[in-house]
Amino acid sequence: MSKKSRRRTESGETVIESLPTPDEVRDLEILCEDNPVVAVNKPVGMLSQGSPQGVFCLPDYVKAYLKQKYEKPGNVYLGVVHRLDRPVTGVVLFSKNSKGAARLAEQFREREVKKTYLALLENAPPATEGELHDFIRKVPDQARAVIEPGETADAKKAVLSYRVIGSHPQGTLVEVNPLTGRMHQIRLQFASRGCSIMGDQLYGAKTQTNLQPLTSDYTTHIALHAWKLTFKHPVRYDEMTITAPLPNSWPAFARTLLENDQPSVENE
């Protein structure tokens, strides 16, 4: 994640650039651009929105891409309709106009968008497929959540379905569909069953994505990837599925397991 760049004007005044430069945008991976839809493959460690002052977040890069590509003067509108946690990679959807943003946001709000994740677990889950049901509560003033024994005003029901794609001595690859949208839901629900997501030290992981042991230093790289989003186009209303390839940083065996699971990786 880049810090906002500074330059000096002819008068010697220091100006902070409001958007990344063309060089900084070059590595942005555009997965789909179908007016007004823009989808990108979010890199690890980048915030989906709300970066600290002086640091660019993902929408800044997308705005810069649009401004440069279409030579837009002035400010560039970009509707942020959902987000991913900072250590998570994968598909993030935006809209280039407010009407498209409102329609997409409504689909997310009404749970009409199908989200499919890939997670690399340190241990195999309790069954090869199934649903996990829990009650999750966000810890006040902390960026983490906990599981409670029952529903309360603060603990909300969390449900996901999953399927084991394949196992390897060093980890198990699962396909996950969250059916609710609780904080850190996938991470916490698997971790509570003794199968933490690789690299997710916050929820008990012991190994990094490069298979080396984790140290006491917190990591921002976990093996959770927003693989596919299926939604209705905000103008044509036909169904679209956008897929993001696995990060190169994941171990090779995870890619092999996914490639061998042919029914799940056919072209959409």
Side-chain angles (χ1 to χ4, degrees):
M1 187 161 54
S2 299
K3 292 185 177 180
K4 294 189 177 182
S5 56
R6 301 169 182 264
R7 64 177 174 83
R8 286 190 176 275
T9 63
E10 292 181 359
S11 63
E13 180 184 6
T14 299
V15 176
I16 300 177
E17 299 288 0
S18 60
L19 292 175
T21 65
D23 283 344
E24 291 174 317
V25 174
R26 189 167 291 121
D27 292 334
L28 182 68
E29 185 177 357
I30 304 296
L31 299 171
C32 174
E33 188 174 352
D34 186 346
N35 199 24
V37 172
V38 181
V40 303
N41 191 2
K42 178 182 126 23
V44 70
M46 185 177 290
L47 289 168
S48 295
Q49 62 184 52
S51 290
Q53 185 175 5
V55 178
F56 290 125
C57 60
L58 187 60
D60 294 324
Y61 286 88
V62 181
K63 286 181 181 180
Y65 160 77
L66 295 172
K67 187 177 183 67
Q68 295 158 20
K69 180 176 180 179
Y70 298 104
E71 300 180 346
K72 287 180 173 287
N75 294 328
V76 176
Y77 175 86
L78 188 70
V80 179
V81 298
H82 74 122
R83 51 169 289 182
L84 294 177
D85 292 341
R86 184 173 183 175
V88 178
T89 56
V91 183
V92 177
L93 204 58
F94 298 96
S95 175
K96 292 189 281 186
N97 62 48
S98 58
K99 183 177 291 187
R103 290 174 178 173
L104 289 170
E106 182 180 15
Q107 291 184 53
F108 279 96
R109 189 167 56 250
E110 298 299 323
R111 310 287 184 208
E112 295 171 351
V113 177
K114 182 179 180 182
K115 306 173 186 177
T116 304
Y117 288 76
L118 293 173
L120 191 57
L121 309 179
E122 290 188 333
N123 300 301
T128 56
E129 61 181 308
E131 289 190 353
L132 303 183
H133 295 250
D134 293 290
F135 297 98
I136 290 180
R137 175 178 63 86
K138 182 187 182 305
V139 178
D141 302 320
Q142 296 185 36
R144 66 183 185 93
V146 294
I147 288 180
E148 298 288 1
E151 188 168 15
T152 66
D154 298 319
K156 304 298 183 182
K157 188 172 184 179
V159 183
L160 64 77
S161 64
Y162 73 91
R163 176 180 68 89
V164 172
I165 290 175
S167 291
H168 181 274
Q170 293 172 303
T172 297
L173 183 67
V174 295
E175 177 183 314
V176 187
N177 294 110
L179 305 180
T180 53
R182 309 305 177 203
M183 179 181 183
H184 296 178
Q185 176 178 337
I186 298 173
R187 301 165 61 180
L188 181 54
Q189 287 194 274
F190 280 111
S192 69
R193 290 160 173 84
C195 38
S196 298
I197 292 173
M198 196 170 289
D200 196 0
Q201 190 169 359
L202 182 63
Y203 293 113
K206 304 299 183 186
T207 54
Q208 303 180 56
T209 50
N210 63 6
L211 308 180
Q212 297 300 309
L214 276 163
T215 67
S216 58
D217 297 327
Y218 181 72
T219 179
T220 58
H221 190 178
I222 69 174
L224 181 61
H225 180 66
W227 186 31
K228 296 182 181 182
L229 274 184
T230 300
F231 59 96
K232 290 182 180 178
H233 190 279
V235 177
R236 302 188 306 265
Y237 295 105
D238 56 317
E239 187 173 89
M240 296 182 67
T241 296
I242 298 176
T243 304
L246 274 181
N248 292 330
S249 55
W250 281 36
F253 75 81
R255 198 173 310 280
T256 300
L257 290 173
L258 185 60
E259 290 171 352
N260 290 340
D261 187 54
Q262 293 302 318
S264 294
V265 294
E266 292 176 353
N267 291 329
E268 300 294 334

